[in-house]
Amino acid sequence: MIDRRNLEVVLKSHFPIVVVETHEEPRALDLLKQVTVGQGRALYTWSAAQGLRAEPGGDSGPVWSLQGSPAQADDTTAPEAALARVKETLKGAVVALLDFHPYLRDPRTVRLLREIAHDFYLRENRLVLLSHALELPPELKRLAARFELSLPDGARLNELVLEEARLWRLKQGGGNAVKADRRAMELLVQNLRGLTVSDAKRLIRNAIHDDGAITASDLPEVMKAKYELVSEGGVLSFEYDTATFAEVGGFSRLKGWLERRQRAFLAAAGGLDTPKGILLLGVQGGGKSLAAKAVAGAWQVPLLRLDFGALYNKYIGETEKNLRESLKAAEVMAPCVLWIDEIEKGVAVTDSDSGTAHRVLGALLTWMAEKKARVFVVATANSIAALPPELVRKGRLDEIFFVDLPAPEARVAILAAHLRKRGLEREGLDLEKAARQSDGFSGAELEQAVVSAWYAAHAAETPLTTEHLLEEIARTRPLSVVMAEQIGALRAWASQRTVPVD
């Protein structure tokens, strides 16, 4: 009903062109037919396959036809011929031009569209451009209004799940009903938000089809499919494998901070503000990326990664536009975690900058200030000097955490985690001694020590021993030694300005 009222208002406005961007062409056409019949107006559709044709209306509407019978009418499959026919013969009609976007680059076609629009007050013909994507040329933008089909809300999505469950039962001969527990249903509906009706139906069918049940095991596949629908060739990537905090050594303060905010992020909790996000600043290889993955794993929500380096490299000249599209896709995936990796690469403004970094920063800050969707931002950075003060001030993000080099206890946990990850036994290994010998090592350097020690043991055809680990640790010159001055300066800055993760 809301869509119908909104479309009626648009069709009664003074704009001669209406733009409808949607993948749901049948739904949009059906709505257009309802409105035009209700207004007693003629409706025509055009496509490159069938040309211009009159659509049948209700009893109260006029009898619509082109001049001459269909057999006598000229071929109108060419867009210029169709627009010429509209301009010369129709009056008071609504003409839906389907998949017209390729022809908006032709000067003659654009000119015909303008002439029909200029004749609007004399002939009252209205053009509806209906396609999955439409970019109007500048000369048409002031003559057009846009209409968007609404997305189904929670109640409508719940109805769609029940409808698809009934259809599945009928196809099975009316036997057993679809099995579903309440929590799985709630999560499915939550994860379908932001999709069109047709896309939501398709994913619901996929969830039910295999086993006639809706369970928690269906949700990851639903989210993968949803991501593929909303992110078309962008620089936003879906991280399928998210870590758990059991795999992350240390980070005790960060873990506690996230636990206290989990409920407020996933659902309204006592009127609390929805958490916005955090900045993880620290030494390279310290575990910032693993922590970002673990946030999504702990909260059991999708993890999306936005790589600013790829954003600039892939879309020279279109960086800001594609940033906005990526952020919009993240909102459709909500609730989710948006991991902005090495954020300083995208927002650092230099003297040689052409202005792109300024615009990217402005677009990002505006989105962070105005977003309503439950998108929790986890930004990681290696250098605070490259970050603008507008980004790091309180209010943009909830907290700045400093990821320092791991303490001895954390180093033991990291070594144990990497052994466990590779199916290696900890028994017989003196990890405490290895941790003492690896003072100043980052998490990445500890992982490499385990990998190298395993290679050495395998080459010697012996089990992995503590000596293998100690030898590899002794051979390594950690970053804290190689870049001692830079890391010392970063630690000094962070000591009074950030919250340690441990």
Side-chain angles (χ1 to χ4, degrees):
M1 290 298 293
I2 294 177
D3 281 342
R4 179 168 177 169
R5 286 200 300 271
N6 290 342
L7 184 56
E8 286 173 348
V9 170
V10 172
L11 291 182
K12 288 179 180 178
S13 70
H14 298 290
F15 288 98
I17 299 174
V18 177
V19 175
V20 183
E21 284 187 286
T22 180
H23 288 276
E24 296 187 286
E25 181 184 291
R27 181 183 167 206
L29 279 177
D30 183 62
L31 184 65
L32 195 58
K33 289 175 185 177
Q34 293 177 35
V35 173
T36 53
V37 167
Q39 294 179 346
R41 304 184 67 179
L43 174 64
Y44 293 85
T45 58
W46 176 89
S47 72
Q50 299 188 9
L52 189 67
R53 65 176 187 175
E55 294 292 330
D59 294 339
S60 60
V63 177
W64 306 321
S65 64
L66 295 173
Q67 288 187 351
S69 66
Q72 298 170 333
D74 296 334
D75 180 16
T76 56
T77 53
E80 287 185 32
L83 292 176
R85 178 62 58 86
V86 171
K87 185 175 182 294
E88 294 167 4
T89 65
L90 298 185
K91 187 173 183 180
V94 176
V95 182
L97 305 173
L98 310 182
D99 288 335
F100 207 74
H101 55 281
Y103 309 107
L104 294 176
R105 294 187 292 268
D106 179 63
R108 288 173 59 85
T109 301
V110 172
R111 182 61 205 176
L112 274 168
L113 289 170
R114 287 192 72 188
E115 289 181 2
I116 293 171
H118 291 159
D119 288 344
F120 177 68
Y121 290 105
L122 294 175
R123 305 187 67 89
E124 296 185 343
N125 289 319
R126 194 181 306 272
L127 304 175
V128 179
L129 304 183
L130 177 56
S131 181
H132 73 287
L134 278 164
E135 182 63 34
L136 290 181
E139 56 266 44
L140 295 180
K141 285 184 177 179
R142 292 181 177 272
L143 301 170
R146 286 186 175 265
F147 170 78
E148 291 186 6
L149 289 172
S150 63
L151 297 173
D153 58 14
R156 178 59 179 143
L157 288 169
N158 197 66
E159 290 176 4
L160 293 177
V161 174
L162 296 177
E163 288 173 10
E164 292 300 321
R166 283 193 293 269
L167 286 173
W168 182 88
R169 184 179 183 183
L170 289 173
K171 289 179 180 178
Q172 304 304 312
N176 296 329
V178 172
K179 298 176 182 177
D181 61 75
R182 183 181 182 86
R183 180 57 179 161
M185 280 281 290
E186 290 175 352
L187 289 174
L188 178 62
V189 168
Q190 174 179 282
N191 289 332
L192 291 172
R193 287 181 180 272
L195 293 180
T196 63
V197 170
S198 58
D199 286 338
K201 284 183 177 181
R202 192 179 312 124
L203 297 192
I204 294 167
R205 290 188 205 114
N206 291 343
I208 295 173
H209 177 74
D210 289 337
D211 53 6
I214 297 173
T215 63
S217 63
D218 293 315
L219 300 179
E221 289 301 320
V222 169
M223 292 310 297
K224 289 178 186 178
K226 179 180 176 180
Y227 170 75
E228 289 168 1
L229 287 169
V230 302
S231 182
E232 300 175 352
V235 295
L236 200 64
S237 59
F238 188 100
E239 297 289 323
Y240 295 104
D241 297 319
T242 55
T244 65
F245 267 123
E247 301 173 29
V248 184
F251 290 78
S252 56
R253 287 194 185 183
L254 175 60
K255 292 174 182 177
W257 190 93
L258 292 168
E259 286 173 2
R260 291 190 292 274
R261 287 159 178 79
Q262 179 175 0
R263 189 178 168 199
F265 177 72
L266 295 177
L272 295 172
D273 291 352
T274 302
K276 298 176 181 177
I278 56 175
L279 172 65
L280 297 175
L281 172 69
V283 181
Q284 292 183 19
K288 300 184 295 296
S289 298
L290 185 61
K293 294 180 179 180
V295 173
W299 286 357
Q300 295 184 317
V301 296
L303 175 65
L304 306 177
R305 179 182 178 184
L306 178 61
D307 186 345
F308 265 120
L311 185 76
Y312 277 84
N313 293 337
K314 190 172 183 181
Y315 296 110
I316 296 172
E318 297 185 18
T319 304
E320 309 94 285
K321 174 187 173 183
N322 287 281
L323 172 63
R324 288 191 293 270
E325 289 180 356
S326 295
L327 296 176
K328 183 178 179 181
E331 290 183 336
V332 174
M333 293 293 292
C336 66
V337 171
L338 178 62
W339 170 23
I340 306 179
D341 194 23
E342 297 185 333
I343 191 172
E344 69 269 32
K345 288 183 178 179
V347 297
V349 179
T350 63
D351 294 337
S352 60
D353 179 55
S354 63
T356 301
H358 279 288
R359 294 191 295 272
V360 166
L361 177 62
L364 180 62
L365 293 178
T366 300
W367 176 78
M368 291 171 69
E370 297 178 355
K371 71 179 172 73
K372 303 298 182 185
R374 286 176 291 164
V375 178
F376 187 80
V377 175
V378 178
T380 61
N382 298 319
S383 172
I384 191 65
L387 293 176
E390 307 99 296
L391 180 66
V392 297
R393 74 167 177 81
K394 283 293 183 74
R396 302 292 188 193
L397 297 168
D398 298 316
E399 194 57 86
I400 302 175
F401 285 95
F402 182 64
V403 183
D404 203 347
L405 295 169
E409 299 81 3
R411 293 200 292 274
V412 171
I414 292 169
L415 288 168
H418 287 301
L419 289 169
R420 187 168 55 250
K421 179 180 178 181
R422 291 161 178 82
L424 299 172
E425 294 292 334
R426 176 180 174 176
E427 187 177 351
L429 298 178
D430 190 348
L431 297 188
E432 287 74 15
K433 184 176 182 179
R436 289 193 299 272
Q437 296 296 319
S438 57
D439 184 35
F441 275 53
S442 67
E445 289 162 342
L446 290 169
E447 179 181 14
Q448 192 56 45
V450 171
V451 171
S452 297
W454 189 20
Y455 272 118
H458 187 270
E461 298 182 350
T462 63
L464 180 66
T465 65
T466 303
E467 285 68 31
H468 289 127
L469 281 172
L470 295 178
E471 287 175 8
E472 294 303 328
I473 288 170
R475 290 194 184 101
T476 303
R477 291 293 176 268
L479 200 64
S480 60
V481 173
V482 176
M483 302 185 67
E485 295 78 11
Q486 294 93 319
I487 291 176
L490 180 62
R491 281 172 149 175
W493 183 93
S495 62
Q496 301 298 321
R497 297 176 175 88
T498 64
V499 176
V501 293
D502 276 316

